[in-house]
Amino acid sequence: METEKQDWRKDLTNVPIAPLGIIAMAGCEEMGRSINNWLMQWRDVDNHEFFDTEYFTVPGGDRDTFLIKAECPRFGTGESKGMLRESVRGYDIYIICDVTAYDITYRMYNMDVPMSPDDHYSDLKRIIAAIAGKAKRVNVIMPFLYESRQHRRTSRESLDCALALQELESMGVTNILTFDAHDPRVQNAIPLCGFENIMPTYQMLKALCREVKDLRINKESMAVVSPDEGAVPRNIFYSSMLALEMGMFYKRRDYTKVVNGRNPIIAHEYLGPDIAGKDIIVADDILSTGDSIIDLAEELKKRKAARVFAVVTFAFFTSGWENYQEAYDRGLITKVIATDLTHHKEELLKKPWFARANMSKYIAYFIATLNHDHSLNSLLNPYSRIKNLLEHYAQEQLEAGIRLA
């Protein structure tokens, strides 16, 4: 009798809390389809990595997709409304929203207008309003956290990110998932709401190992350098995982001037070990114009660094990528690794110095795990996966060396 009771409890833990529904907002359609494909694969087969038994989806297990049809049509004045094309009553809803998808446009006064982060955020709220509390749970997956660069007040300024988080909480959002938040402490604005700041470290290292086959990951041949003091925790994690020494630059700024919304950098000062002859990994969360990383690469080259690999979660190239092509041609930058969590033009994807880490499978794991109300600890801690990756990479290099011999 006791055994039967234990088996019953074990099976119960693999039943989702509600039928799963995914809404991919404008600009996230491709990622939404990729995530849906992974979840559909796991629906009817054993997946022992995170689930004990089959990935049950009852009720609603007979559906041929987890994607929910939703849209935000606009009037000629630019006003809009959120619309659901099917019922979501009782569903566990996951809304994927990329607030930086500038490639999406709409018609206003007979003009094509690119969508701004404000537009995407407003559409997200419209869809939540269209759900109107009928779903069992609403979760928001926002890869780049809306207004996260305005995360603190230094003078008479607005606190946009904190206000947005509080607004989503007040609309009934249960969980907010974001990647590499500029300052994760902003979650203090919503202490009673679920907030997960996900680091794509494993996926970035996996992409780097895929793109560059001759890395020598040891203290004699490689080092990690933080581009500024704000990125130190992120780079400490990389250096710890790879068992490498770490240095850092700090930026001397001219605080008497403001150019394009920020104080201009006067100089980069370096603190750390000798990097002569070493490959360098520079990790950061955002590449906006990218000027800082190029300046940093020049400073590293002055110190006789070998190759420079920029590892950034969000590569926006807001002023274009011509300066990076020039830096690549000059030998300053060897490779830029970024996630596919934001839009990149096809021309950029063809550049030999640019590569992306695919994040759809990772996001699918988060959705499936939350849908089953399981712990996220194994997903948030990539230590064992990074260790296996490095062992596999070393074995590949060994086999390649044997063949070459």
Side-chain angles (χ1 to χ4, degrees), residues 166-398:
Q166 291 178 350
E167 191 172 20
L168 292 177
E169 182 185 34
S170 69
M171 296 183 75
V173 173
T174 303
N175 294 299
I176 299 172
L177 282 71
T178 191
F179 284 82
D180 203 353
H182 192 62
D183 188 343
R185 291 175 296 181
V186 74
Q187 66 184 289
N188 294 335
I190 49 169
L192 300 181
C193 182
F195 184 97
E196 300 295 343
N197 181 45
I198 306 165
M199 300 300 293
T201 312
Y202 167 72
Q203 287 75 17
M204 303 291 272
L205 289 175
K206 185 177 180 180
L208 180 62
C209 291
R210 181 194 69 221
E211 294 292 322
V212 186
K213 295 300 184 181
D214 61 345
L215 295 174
R216 292 191 177 95
I217 307 177
N218 56 62
K219 292 182 179 180
E220 292 72 32
S221 305
M222 182 176 282
V224 175
V225 174
S226 176
D228 53 41
E229 57 275 20
V232 166
R234 181 182 299 103
N235 284 271
I236 286 177
F237 189 80
Y238 275 93
S239 64
S240 300
M241 288 293 98
L242 301 176
L244 302 175
E245 292 185 316
M246 194 193 87
M248 68 164 288
F249 281 90
Y250 68 91
K251 301 171 182 176
R252 285 201 290 117
R253 295 180 179 272
D254 184 355
Y255 289 99
T256 64
K257 300 178 182 178
V258 176
V259 180
N260 294 328
R262 60 183 181 178
N263 303 108
I265 299 170
I266 301 174
H268 291 87
E269 304 291 347
Y270 177 71
L271 297 171
D274 182 24
I275 56 175
K278 295 181 180 180
D279 289 338
I280 304 298
I281 292 177
V282 178
D284 210 349
D285 58 337
I286 300 170
L287 187 158
S288 184
T289 62
D291 292 340
S292 294
I293 290 182
I294 291 178
D295 293 342
L296 192 71
E298 289 182 338
E299 294 294 330
L300 291 170
K301 290 295 183 177
K302 289 178 183 178
R303 292 164 175 80
K304 303 187 184 305
R307 297 176 295 183
V308 177
F309 302 102
V311 178
V312 293
T313 306
F314 302 101
F316 295 125
F317 297 102
T318 55
S319 299
W321 56 79
E322 290 77 11
N323 55 343
Y324 269 77
Q325 183 63 52
E326 181 183 352
Y328 172 74
D329 294 338
R330 293 170 55 197
L332 296 179
I333 299 287
T334 299
K335 188 76 71 171
V336 175
I337 305 291
T339 68
D340 62 350
L341 295 172
T342 189
H343 172 70
H344 297 118
K345 293 183 178 180
E346 287 297 325
E347 300 94 318
L348 177 62
L349 301 181
K350 297 176 182 177
K351 299 297 181 182
W353 48 266
F354 184 76
R356 296 200 300 182
N358 189 291
M359 302 299 297
S360 58
K361 185 177 182 181
Y362 195 32
I363 295 175
Y365 273 133
F366 274 95
I367 292 175
T369 305
L370 283 174
N371 183 234
H372 284 75
D373 213 17
H374 283 192
S375 171
L376 296 176
N377 183 63
S378 59
L379 284 170
L380 293 172
N381 186 358
Y383 175 76
S384 58
R385 281 171 286 153
I386 292 175
K387 182 180 178 181
N388 292 335
L389 170 67
L390 296 179
E391 290 176 352
H392 181 71
Y393 183 73
Q395 183 62 32
E396 282 187 341
Q397 288 184 320
L398 181 61

Side-chain angles (χ1 to χ4, degrees), residues 82-108:
M83 297 180 64
L84 300 175
R85 296 300 185 182
E86 53 189 292
S87 174
V88 296
R89 185 180 295 274
Y91 276 62
D92 186 24
I93 296 295
Y94 293 81
I95 307 175
I96 307 171
C97 177
D98 176 15
V99 297
T100 64
Y102 66 93
D103 57 311
I104 306 300
T105 62
Y106 60 90
R107 296 290 291 178
M108 184 173 71

